[in-house]
Amino acid sequence: MASPPKIVPRQRTPADSAGGAARPRKKKPKTKRTWPYALALLGAWGAIFGAVFFFRWVSDLPDTNDLLAKGPSHDVTILDSHGRLIARRGLTQGQMVLAANLPDYVPNAFIAIEDRRFRYHPGLDPIGLVRAAVENAVAGHVVQGGSTLTQQLAKNLFLDPNRTFDRKMQEAMLALYLESRYSKDQILSLYLNRVYFGAGTYGIEAASERFFGKPAAALSLPEAAMLAGSVKAPARFNPLTDTDASFERGRTVLRAMQDAGFIDDKTRAEAESTRPRVVHGTGTPGSGYFADWIMAHLHEYVGDFDKPIVVETTFDIDMQNEAERAVTRGLAKDGVSLNVNQAALVAMTPDGAIRAMVGGKSYGLSPFNRATDAERQPGSAFKPFVYLTAFERGHTPDDLMNDGPVRIGKWSPGNYEGRYEGEITLTRAFAKSSNAVAAQLTAEAGPHAVARTAHRLGIASPLSEVSSLALGTSVVTPLELTAAYAPFANGGDGVVPYGIVRIHTKDGKTLWTRNASKPARVMSEQNARELSQLMTEVVTTGTGKAAKLDERPSAGKTGTTQDFHDAWFVGFSADLVCGVWIGNDNYTPMNHATGGSLPARVFKSFMEDAETGIPVRPLNGLALPVAANDASQTSGTGSFDSFLDRLLNGN
C-alpha cells in the first residue's frame, strides 16, 4: 500500500518580510461612536420613568383649594358646678387669624426659630438642608432638621408622619406647589393656624387662649416666643406641661430673633426678664376622664357647632380631688400585696348628678375610662336586684331560708370559703352575702325576672338570663351599677346619670339646658326602705364593715368575682352614691382581694373626706341609728344643740 504524500510547509521568503511581493492588506472600516446614542436613550428612559414616578406622587397629593377658608370651631370650655374650669377641649383650628393682623414679632418669632430664610426660599431651603446635614454628621445623630415652614405646613395639613422616601418627595413637591399658589403671608397664616402647640391645642389663636387667656393679637413678645418655642417639642415645651422649660425655650427664641435682626439687644433683654402668666386650669389631674365623657356625649345635646361653647356640669373639683386621693392612697398601700393595678370610682347624688369620676389610677398613663367603659362582672354586688325581685314577690327581710349546699340543675353554687350557717333570715343572708340563698331566690323567681328588675333600675348592659346571674356573672360598667343603686338611696326613683346642666355660647346664648322631669318610680318606698336596711346590715355586721362611715349612716354591698378577677363596693349615704371597682386590665387574678377589703376602704376614705361639713342625715326612710344619736349627745352640749337644730330645720 502506497504511503500518503508528504506535505511540506511553505518557507517564508525575504520578500514576504519586506512586503515587496506580498499581498496588500485590507483597510479596517471606521468604527461609529455609539455612546451619545446610548446616553440619549438612557436619558429618554429616565425621563419616562421620572414622569411616571412624578405623576404617581402628584396623583396622591391632596386638594389645596380653600385652605384659607375658616374651619369650624370646636372650642369647648367645661366648668364644674361652682363655675371652676375643668378642661378646655376641641381647640382644633379655632378662629382663623391672618399673620398680617398679628404684631410683627409674633410671626417673626416662628420664622427666627424655625425657618430664618422663609421669606426668600421657594419652599425648599438647600442652605438649611446642607447645614442640617453637616451638624448631624458632626454630632453623629440627628440634632437638626432641614424642613422649611412650608414643608412643615404640607406635612401637618396632608401627610402622614411616616419618614418614607415617598412621603418626603410628596412633602417637597407639595411645598413647592403651595409656594406657587399662595403668598408668603398666606402660607405663614396657614402655618400659624394649623400647627400643634401641645395640650390638645392646634392653631395660634387656640394656643393663645389656652395658655395665656387672651387672643393671639394681644400676645406679648415673651408669650409669642414661648409659643414659637413649643413647636419643636409640644409635649415637652408647652407652657402647661413645664412652665420653666417653656420659658427657657422662649429665651432661646428671643436670642434667635435678635440674631435674625428682628429685635435689638435692649428689646431682647426686656423680654427675657418678663415672665408671662400662664393660665392653668383648676381641674385635677384625673379630671380628664370626666371631660372625655362629656365630650363623647356633647353632640347628643347640640349636634355640630361652629362657635366656642361653655358646658356647665354637675362635677365638683373638690370631690374629684378627694376621689383621686382615695384611689391613689389605696393602691399605693395595698396594690402590690393584693396584685391589683387598676381602680375606678364614680360618685353621684341620689338623683344621678355626677360629682366625681376616676377612670383609672393615672389619666396621664392611660386615658381609658374604666368607670364608664370597663365591662366587668359585679359578683355579689348584683344581689340587691335579686333580693328586690324576691321582695316584690312576697318575701320579707325576716323570711327564713336554708344557707347550705344547693344544686340547681347541674349547677352547685358554693359560699365563699365553703361556710354555711343553716337556717337564717334574708337579712342575715344578704349581710353575709350567701350565694346559696341568692341562687335559691333567683331560681324561685326566674333569671328573667331578676334581669328585668336590674334593667328597670338602670342596668343597660345585656344580662344572660341563667341561674348564675344571681352571683353577678354578666358584665356591667361601674357607672351603670352605681346609678342602679341610686334608687335605693332616693326612695325608689329611677335615675339616669348625667353630667351636663347647661350649654351656652361664650356670648351667653343658651343652646341647651337641663329640664328635670319627674322621675319614674322603679320600686315601692317600702322595698327601697327594706333594701336600704339590708345594705346597712352589710356595713354594720356583714362583709362590708370596712366601709362603715364613722359619723353618718351608710349602706352598701360588696362584690367579689370567681378567682378574684374583680372586687367591688357600691354604697351610699343620704347625699352621695359611690361605686368602687378594683382589678387588672388583663384580667389577671388578684391576690384574694375581696369587695370588703380595698374597695370598701377606698369608699370609706372618699366618703369621709367628700362629706366633711355636710350635715348628717338619715338614709331615706330610715331613722338615724342610735350610735349617731349617742355620738351627738356625748360630743358636748354645743354639738347636741346643733344636732337638734338640724333635725328641727329638716336638714
Side-chain angles (χ1 to χ4, degrees):
M1 184 175 183
S3 299
K6 189 174 183 180
I7 300 175
V8 179
R10 176 179 179 271
Q11 298 296 318
R12 185 170 182 155
T13 65
D16 292 333
S17 300
R23 184 183 302 171
R25 295 179 180 177
K26 294 181 179 180
K27 294 182 178 180
K28 294 182 179 180
K30 293 183 178 180
T31 304
K32 293 183 179 180
R33 295 183 179 180
T34 58
W35 62 266
Y37 301 101
L39 287 180
L41 184 61
L42 288 175
W45 279 109
I48 293 172
F49 281 112
V52 169
F53 282 109
F54 176 79
F55 285 113
R56 183 174 71 83
W57 283 317
V58 168
S59 65
D60 290 334
L61 290 179
D63 183 14
T64 59
N65 293 321
D66 300 324
L67 289 182
L68 289 170
K70 177 186 174 183
S73 172
H74 293 91
D75 180 357
V76 180
T77 301
I78 306 175
L79 306 178
D80 85 339
S81 57
H82 300 287
R84 295 172 293 189
L85 177 66
I86 299 172
R88 292 283 297 278
R89 292 293 173 87
L91 298 177
T92 302
Q93 197 180 333
Q95 297 291 330
M96 175 70 75
V97 294
L98 299 178
N101 294 336
L102 298 173
D104 288 342
Y105 52 74
V106 175
N108 285 343
F110 291 84
I111 293 174
I113 197 65
E114 290 294 322
D115 185 5
R116 193 169 297 184
R117 280 174 292 279
F118 169 74
R119 295 287 184 186
Y120 312 107
H121 63 62
L124 304 179
D125 183 10
I127 297 176
L129 288 172
V130 172
R131 185 194 67 247
V134 171
E135 294 193 14
N136 293 338
V138 172
H141 60 279
V142 177
V143 295
Q144 189 174 95
S147 294
T148 64
L149 286 180
T150 315
Q151 287 177 274
Q152 293 180 43
L153 173 63
K155 179 175 62 177
N156 292 338
L157 280 176
F158 305 115
L159 303 174
D160 62 65
N162 297 324
R163 301 179 65 85
T164 63
F165 179 74
D166 279 5
R167 206 275 291 160
K168 294 298 293 183
M169 287 298 298
Q170 285 182 321
E171 178 186 299
M173 286 189 292
L174 191 53
L176 293 172
Y177 180 69
L178 289 173
E179 290 273 357
S180 69
R181 184 177 179 85
Y182 296 99
S183 69
K184 287 289 186 179
D185 281 346
Q186 289 175 321
I187 291 173
L188 193 56
S189 296
L190 286 169
Y191 175 84
L192 292 175
N193 283 278
R194 306 299 180 95
V195 70
Y196 182 59
F197 287 93
T201 58
Y202 291 82
I204 193 166
E205 184 73 5
S208 181
E209 289 281 358
R210 180 69 181 90
F211 300 133
F212 303 115
K214 61 177 66 172
L219 284 169
S220 66
L221 175 57
E223 292 167 344
M226 289 175 69
L227 290 183
S230 69
V231 171
K232 179 180 180 180
R236 186 173 62 169
F237 289 133
N238 81 74
L240 285 182
T241 298
D242 190 332
T243 305
D244 291 336
S246 179
F247 181 66
E248 287 303 315
R249 176 66 178 163
R251 297 178 70 177
T252 300
V253 174
L254 291 170
R255 290 191 291 272
M257 293 180 72
Q258 182 182 355
D259 292 342
F262 292 135
I263 57 176
D264 57 27
D265 182 68
K266 179 181 178 181
T267 303
R268 177 195 58 77
E270 290 177 352
E272 283 188 340
S273 64
T274 304
R275 191 180 181 90
R277 184 182 70 86
V278 177
V279 177
H280 291 273
T282 54
T284 67
S287 296
Y289 291 115
F290 179 79
D292 287 349
W293 184 64
I294 291 296
M295 291 299 295
H297 294 278
L298 193 58
H299 70 281
E300 300 171 10
Y301 299 88
V302 294
D304 196 13
F305 50 93
D306 58 2
K307 292 183 178 180
I309 63 173
V310 178
V311 182
E312 299 173 4
T313 73
T314 62
F315 199 69
D316 188 303
I317 289 176
D318 296 328
M319 285 194 184
Q320 176 69 15
N321 187 57
E322 302 296 351
E324 291 174 29
R325 183 180 294 116
V327 168
T328 300
R329 287 188 304 203
L331 289 175
K333 182 179 179 181
D334 299 320
V336 174
S337 61
L338 295 178
N339 188 37
V340 55
N341 293 316
Q342 282 297 346
L345 182 153
V346 59
M348 63 183 68
T349 61
D351 73 341
I354 304 294
R355 293 288 190 241
M357 180 182 288
V358 178
K361 69 177 181 180
S362 171
Y363 180 80
L365 294 176
S366 172
F368 175 65
N369 193 339
R370 295 156 189 84
T372 60
D373 299 326
E375 297 178 332
R376 310 292 293 229
Q377 292 182 341
S380 293
F382 191 82
K383 287 177 181 174
F385 312 120
V386 175
Y387 278 72
L388 175 58
T389 305
F391 289 171
E392 290 177 342
R393 281 159 175 73
H395 278 287
T396 69
D398 295 327
D399 286 354
L400 296 175
M401 293 195 72
N402 180 41
D403 177 38
V406 62
R407 187 175 185 83
I408 300 173
K410 296 181 179 181
W411 181 50
S412 298
N415 284 354
Y416 179 66
E417 296 185 342
R419 297 175 182 175
Y420 299 97
E421 295 185 8
E423 194 172 73
I424 57 176
T425 65
L426 290 184
T427 297
R428 174 59 185 163
F430 190 87
K432 75 181 291 284
S433 200
S434 168
N435 290 339
V437 171
Q440 294 175 64
L441 292 174
T442 299
E444 181 182 307
H448 175 72
V450 174
R452 191 168 55 198
T453 298
H455 286 313
R456 189 174 77 237
L457 265 68
I459 298 296
S461 296
L463 300 173
S464 298
E465 296 176 3
V466 294
S467 298
S468 62
L469 179 64
L471 308 186
T473 55
S474 288
V475 296
V476 297
T477 67
L479 176 60
E480 65 180 322
L481 185 60
T482 304
Y485 270 60
F488 301 125
N490 66 31
D493 291 333
V495 160
V496 176
Y498 67 97
I500 299 177
V501 177
R502 179 173 174 252
I503 304 172
H504 60 87
T505 61
K506 281 194 171 182
D507 57 11
K509 180 183 178 182
T510 298
L511 303 177
W512 183 89
T513 186
R514 176 178 170 78
N515 294 317
S517 57
K518 185 177 180 180
R521 179 156 291 279
V522 295
M523 75 179 84
S524 68
E525 290 185 10
Q526 178 181 345
N527 285 336
R529 183 168 57 251
E530 289 177 343
L531 263 298
S532 293
Q533 185 61 57
L534 260 60
M535 284 189 261
T536 300
E537 286 295 320
V538 171
V539 301
T540 304
T541 65
T543 58
K545 287 184 285 187
K548 188 177 185 297
L549 304 183
D550 294 335
E551 297 182 355
R552 68 186 67 238
S554 56
K557 184 70 185 74
T558 58
T560 308
T561 61
Q562 190 174 17
D563 296 328
F564 304 99
H565 292 293
D566 305 274
W568 303 70
F569 186 87
V570 186
F572 52 90
S573 67
D575 299 287
L576 284 177
V577 185
C578 175
V580 179
W581 165 86
I582 65 170
N584 296 311
D585 288 339
N586 61 2
Y587 292 90
T588 301
M590 295 178 288
N591 186 19
H592 287 81
T594 65
S597 60
L598 179 56
R601 291 192 289 271
V602 170
F603 171 88
K604 176 183 173 69
S605 175
F606 165 70
M607 295 288 281
E608 294 281 10
D609 292 338
E611 297 193 297
T612 299
I614 298 178
V616 175
R617 295 193 299 137
L619 297 178
N620 187 65
L622 301 178
L624 279 170
V626 175
N629 286 301
D630 289 344
S632 298
Q633 293 184 46
T634 57
S635 61
T637 304
S639 297
F640 181 63
D641 291 342
S642 176
F643 173 68
L644 287 178
D645 182 67
R646 289 197 299 270
L647 288 181
L648 291 174
N649 287 281
N651 295 324

